[in-house]
Amino acid sequence: MMSMRLSATAAAALAAAFLLSSCEEKKAETPQEDRPILTAVVQSRPEVVLDFPGTVEPQVSTQKAFRVPGQIVARNVTVGDTVRKGDVLAVLDTAQLKEGVRSSEASVTAAQSQLANAQSVDDRANALAKEGFASPAQIDSASQSLAAADANLESAQAQLAKAREQLGYAQLIADYDGIVTASTIEVGETVAAGAPAITIARPDLRDAVIDVPDDVVGRIAAGDVFEIATLLQPDRKIEGKVREIAPSADKLTHTIRVRISIGNAPDVFRIGTTIEASARKTGGETILVPSDAIMSDDGKLTVWKFDRAGSKVVRTAIEAAEGPGTSYVVKSGLKGGDLVAVAGIHALKDGQQVKLVEEAAR
């Protein structure tokens, strides 16, 4: 009886093992479905429209500063005022400077008296020497005193000239006809020598100044023509030529400053006006890829490129920089018409079989 029960138990165990093995074999034989992915087409643009905001700035401006310290007693201009060459912009208190001039004048007078006295002594010593009543030592002493008095007078006269010059520095004078664009001083304020005070600019020579991303500035060269328009009158456009491109990019914004000469433009393009500068650039090719496709690993950029022949994704390294909108400008690694994954990119594996759901409109 016991042997019959063991036999039945063993048979049941064998049957269960057979069924489990059959299920595993069927499961292994079932092919895995390809992973669906959402893709976007890498765009190729043979022509680029460059369009940048900016402001009108003067080509020539001068930041005026007092060359001596003192308290401001008059400021004759404000921002926006028109000035003429020779106009007095601001004045310092001259009490101490005038006292310095008077002290220097007194020093000159004293030095002149000392020189006259030394000259008299020297003349007398020379006269006595001719009669044999003066020793060589007396003659040398008189000559040295005369030379010292003469040098002392020259020094006093130089100090007087300097004091008078410093008195002249108590006024800020306009060097040319212009417009006041900045003022950092107030009446009653004490300023240090060389501290910025008033800035004037020539209104007849102006630039449209724009900041261009460093990955785009390579398309711009000196002499290129841009159309310039104000935001208030976008239909009224003038032409300007690129005059200057900064040699290096701003470390924070990664942009390069470009100055476009607009010369003596109409009054609507006055200094400080916000403008829009645009130009069409042909030649070369711009490859754009959506930012959703970009993966970054230690600063290295990659994308999942769809291999049409094998219906799989391949991890592809690219060189790119931020471009317009939500796109990156690709320098290498992709070409126009390539498909890249734009959803679930961190869950894919290199060489994974996939099927396309749709191409995202980008």
Side-chain angles (χ1 to χ4, degrees):
M1 187 69 176
M2 178 64 72
S3 61
M4 292 180 62
R5 288 180 181 177
L6 290 174
S7 239
T9 302
L14 288 172
F18 176 77
L19 288 175
L20 181 60
S21 175
S22 298
C23 290
E24 288 180 351
E25 288 179 1
K26 289 181 180 180
K27 184 177 181 181
E29 291 173 359
T30 303
Q32 293 184 353
E33 293 186 0
D34 293 343
R35 181 186 179 90
I37 63 167
L38 183 66
T39 61
V41 180
V42 176
Q43 296 181 4
S44 172
R45 294 184 180 178
E47 180 184 63
V48 175
V49 178
L50 303 178
D51 194 6
F52 306 100
T55 56
V56 176
E57 296 183 7
Q59 286 187 14
V60 179
S61 64
T62 303
Q63 193 176 67
K64 304 291 292 181
F66 288 104
R67 299 175 67 175
V68 293
Q71 185 179 42
I72 298 171
V73 295
R75 192 192 70 186
N76 302 328
V77 295
T78 58
V79 175
D81 286 353
T82 299
V83 297
R84 299 294 180 185
K85 181 178 180 179
D87 284 353
V88 178
L89 307 176
V91 181
L92 291 178
D93 182 5
T94 59
Q96 289 186 345
L97 296 174
K98 288 179 178 179
E99 183 61 33
V101 171
R102 287 193 292 268
S103 177
S104 296
E105 288 174 340
S107 296
V108 169
T109 300
Q112 288 172 337
S113 298
Q114 290 175 356
L115 178 62
N117 183 58
Q119 184 67 59
S120 177
V121 172
D122 185 68
D123 291 343
R124 187 164 56 253
N126 287 326
L128 291 173
K130 289 179 181 180
E131 296 177 3
F133 296 110
S135 66
Q138 290 175 321
I139 295 173
D140 288 344
S141 177
S143 178
Q144 291 175 3
S145 296
L146 177 61
D150 186 55
N152 187 45
L153 176 60
E154 288 185 4
S155 176
Q157 289 173 333
Q159 290 296 324
L160 176 59
K162 182 178 180 180
R164 287 173 175 170
E165 185 180 42
Q166 288 183 326
L167 180 60
Y169 292 157
Q171 292 184 334
L172 281 187
I173 307 296
D175 300 319
Y176 48 79
D177 296 351
I179 296 176
V180 178
T181 58
S183 175
T184 59
I185 58 173
E186 296 293 342
V187 174
E189 178 184 354
T190 300
V191 295
I198 294 174
T199 302
I200 61 173
R202 287 184 56 176
D204 55 332
L205 298 175
R206 283 165 277 173
D207 285 335
V209 180
I210 58 177
D211 292 320
V212 180
D214 54 5
D215 61 297
V216 179
V217 76
R219 290 180 170 270
I220 301 174
D224 284 356
V225 176
F226 274 75
E227 286 189 337
I228 314 296
T230 65
L231 295 185
L232 296 179
Q233 298 183 12
D235 296 331
R236 186 177 180 181
K237 299 181 179 180
I238 61 172
E239 287 190 349
K241 289 187 177 181
V242 175
R243 181 176 70 85
E244 179 183 292
I245 301 174
S248 58
D250 184 278
K251 293 182 179 180
L252 295 177
T253 62
H254 300 289
T255 58
I256 293 178
R257 179 145 293 186
V258 176
R259 304 184 74 93
I260 304 168
S261 175
I262 56 177
N264 194 7
D267 291 340
V268 67
F269 295 91
R270 62 186 178 274
I271 294 173
T273 301
T274 303
I275 55 89
E276 196 80 17
S278 60
R280 290 183 177 273
K281 301 293 293 183
T282 57
E285 185 179 43
T286 300
I287 306 298
L288 298 179
V289 63
S291 59
D292 292 345
I294 302 289
M295 295 178 292
S296 178
D297 184 12
D298 292 333
K300 297 180 180 180
L301 304 182
T302 59
V303 297
W304 290 113
K305 179 181 173 182
F306 177 67
D307 179 4
R308 290 181 171 87
S311 296
K312 60 184 179 180
V313 287
V314 179
R315 188 158 189 158
T316 305
I318 64 171
E319 290 186 31
E322 291 186 11
T326 58
S327 298
Y328 273 66
V329 177
V330 179
K331 298 178 181 178
S332 64
L334 293 172
K335 64 181 183 297
D338 285 343
L339 293 180
V340 292
V342 293
I345 58 177
H346 296 290
L348 296 173
K349 296 180 180 179
D350 198 14
Q352 184 174 356
Q353 296 290 315
V354 295
K355 64 178 180 180
L356 302 185
V357 175
E358 60 175 312
E359 292 182 7
R362 298 279 166 175

